[in-house]
Amino acid sequence: MKDTFARVEEMTAHVKEYVNNRMASVKLSAAEKSSKLIANVIALVIVLIVFALFIVFAGIALAFVFARLTGEFYWGFLIVAGIYLLLGILVWQVKEKIIQLPIMNTMLQQLFKEDEED
């Protein structure tokens, strides 16, 4: 009888240790995935800021080129503004295909990358 109780106590200790190890593993996995996701978001924000600055300065330069061709500054800037408006409308029309789906796929790949490796 004592032997059975000793085995039950030993098994209970092993189960508790397993549960604690599994919980620690899940916490570490969640921390790793969330840190990778946050790092990717921060890198993406930095790249988008740099790209936006490039677009602004390229737009100003293009406006001056059009201003030189037309002879008036306002025509150059209006032409560039029209180009931006057309690009904005185009992006709005295809936003799901070129923005939403790639972002969703990238996030899902990041979240489930470790599960596929196991």
Side-chain angles (χ1 to χ4, degrees):
M1 188 76 162
K2 285 183 181 182
D3 187 41
T4 304
F5 285 127
R7 286 186 181 178
V8 169
E9 287 179 3
E10 183 179 334
M11 184 180 287
T12 303
H14 286 298
V15 168
K16 286 181 183 178
E17 183 179 350
Y18 172 77
V19 168
N20 289 336
N21 288 340
R22 185 69 181 144
M23 286 176 46
S25 173
V26 168
K27 288 178 185 178
L28 287 173
S29 177
E32 179 184 9
K33 288 179 182 180
S34 62
S35 67
K36 283 183 181 180
L37 188 63
I38 290 171
N40 286 340
V41 167
I42 290 172
L44 180 65
V45 166
I46 291 170
V47 167
L48 288 177
I49 289 171
V50 169
F51 186 70
L53 288 172
F54 169 77
I55 293 295
V56 167
F57 288 118
I60 292 170
L62 188 61
F64 280 116
V65 168
F66 285 132
R68 182 172 283 211
L69 293 174
T70 61
E72 296 291 337
F73 279 115
Y74 64 89
W75 280 117
F77 283 93
L78 283 174
I79 291 170
V80 171
I83 292 170
Y84 283 157
L85 179 64
L86 290 176
L87 283 174
I89 291 170
L90 178 68
V91 168
W92 184 259
Q93 294 297 320
V94 294
K95 67 181 180 231
E96 187 173 314
K97 288 182 182 178
I98 66 171
I99 298 172
Q100 184 182 1
L101 290 176
I103 290 174
M104 186 176 12
N105 289 337
T106 301
M107 288 178 64
L108 290 173
Q109 285 175 350
Q110 287 291 324
L111 291 173
F112 294 108
K113 182 184 286 186
E114 184 177 310
D115 296 339
E116 292 174 1
E117 293 173 357
D118 290 342

